[in-house]
Amino acid sequence: MMPNVDNRGWPPPPQRAALIFQHLGQLYPDARCSLDWRNPFQLLVATMLSAQCTDQRVNQVTPALFDRFPDAASFAAAEPEQVEPYVRPTGFYRNKARHIVSTSRLLLERHQGRVPKSMEALLECPGVARKTANVVLATAYGLNAGVTVDTHVRRLSNRLGLVAATDPARIEVELMALLPQADWDLLSIRLIFHGRAVCKARRPACGCCHLADLCPSHRPEPMDTRPQRVSPLTRI
DNA sequence: ATCCCGAGGG
DNA sequence: CCCTCTGGAT
């Protein structure tokens, strides 16, 4: 009976996942959520803004945003049009402003303006799904409710052959089964850091990747076939 | 599956 | 120009 995966002599999935997790820990010992926030509500808003946008850009707009709208009550009293100018650089600004205002009003009505600590309650907020909820629960409250599956985690999980699924919901379930719950949040953060620094979407730097020996997608760097300029000094 | 949407990199 | 960035709703 032939296995339907390329084992290459690798250990079975859980052990390989643990190895990858461990290597990433050595590579990014200080990896943490890179959004700036002062309280759970600000983290929730910052995470909502981070959709399809670099967190660097989110951190660029949040100081002025939270100066004008410091809490849920401030957003709840505003119209989305008043929030839009502050969040415009993050893209999807009309939806994001609308969702932030709607979510703030919901938090004020049902949770005294505070961010709930349960997945079910967070999922009731407009513009909040599992990715955002996982970030808030883990980062603000230290609760490993699930694995944060964003664009980086999805891409690296597939390239590394950690999961077979391609849709975020199933990827999350498969990743949760691979590592102990205590590691779920760190796994996401480490994959994201590696995705940003090395295993990029466009042009992955396989040549300097420390996970190459554990990666079924590893390819040698494409050879530079462009005509090379010859320095005059090297001529006779 | 499609839409929302700005900014930066190659 | 095209692709990508810690997605979510319809």
Side-chain angles (χ1 to χ4, degrees):
Chain A
M1 184 75 72
M2 292 293 294
N4 59 353
V5 290
D6 179 8
N7 281 324
R8 297 195 193 186
W10 285 326
Q15 282 86 339
R16 197 164 66 87
L19 270 176
I20 290 171
F21 178 74
Q22 185 179 352
H23 280 249
L24 288 174
Q26 301 282 350
L27 290 173
Y28 313 102
D30 301 319
R32 55 174 180 82
C33 175
S34 36
L35 293 169
D36 296 334
W37 55 284
R38 295 184 174 282
N39 55 58
F41 177 75
Q42 288 189 356
L43 176 64
L44 174 62
V45 172
T47 308
M48 293 172 74
L49 291 176
S50 72
Q52 298 295 292
C53 172
T54 60
D55 46 350
Q56 185 180 353
R57 185 157 305 284
V58 173
N59 292 337
Q60 208 173 335
V61 309
T62 43
L65 177 69
F66 294 142
D67 185 61
R68 170 65 181 83
F69 305 100
D71 48 29
S74 314
F75 281 109
E79 292 305 318
E81 290 75 18
Q82 301 173 256
V83 177
E84 285 177 7
Y86 293 90
V87 303
R88 171 181 269 270
T90 67
F92 299 155
Y93 64 94
R94 276 189 282 263
N95 281 337
K96 287 176 180 177
R98 182 166 48 89
H99 288 148
I100 290 169
V101 168
S102 300
T103 286
S104 296
R105 291 173 180 170
L106 184 149
L107 293 183
L108 213 58
E109 291 170 7
R110 302 191 197 174
H111 304 282
Q112 296 79 45
R114 307 190 63 86
V115 179
K117 300 183 180 179
S118 80
M119 173 67 71
E120 314 89 87
L122 280 170
L123 291 181
E124 294 174 358
C125 299
V128 177
R130 291 194 61 89
K131 183 264 168 182
T132 299
N134 276 328
V135 170
V136 171
L137 289 172
T139 307
Y141 297 134
L143 301 173
N144 279 304
V147 176
T148 299
V149 180
D150 66 354
T151 179
H152 293 295
V153 173
R154 180 177 58 199
R155 183 178 69 251
L156 269 69
S157 295
N158 289 137
R159 283 183 179 169
L160 287 164
L162 290 176
V163 302
T166 55
D167 67 292
R170 292 184 188 176
I171 290 176
E172 182 180 358
V173 172
E174 294 189 27
L175 288 179
M176 288 166 72
L178 282 178
L179 287 170
Q181 185 172 13
D183 294 337
W184 287 352
D185 182 48
L186 262 184
L187 171 68
S188 305
I189 292 177
R190 289 175 183 177
L191 286 176
I192 289 167
F193 268 65
H194 193 61
R196 284 205 287 243
V198 177
C199 193
K200 304 182 220 178
R202 185 84 66 98
R203 203 166 154 293
C206 294
C208 63
C209 181
H210 288 76
L211 300 182
D213 291 342
L214 291 166
C215 183
S217 304
H218 170 68
R219 298 285 182 279
E221 294 293 297
M223 195 188 318
D224 189 353
T225 55
R226 292 173 299 179
Q228 300 298 308
R229 176 178 300 279
V230 178
S231 165
L233 293 178
T234 64
R235 300 191 184 180
I236 300 178

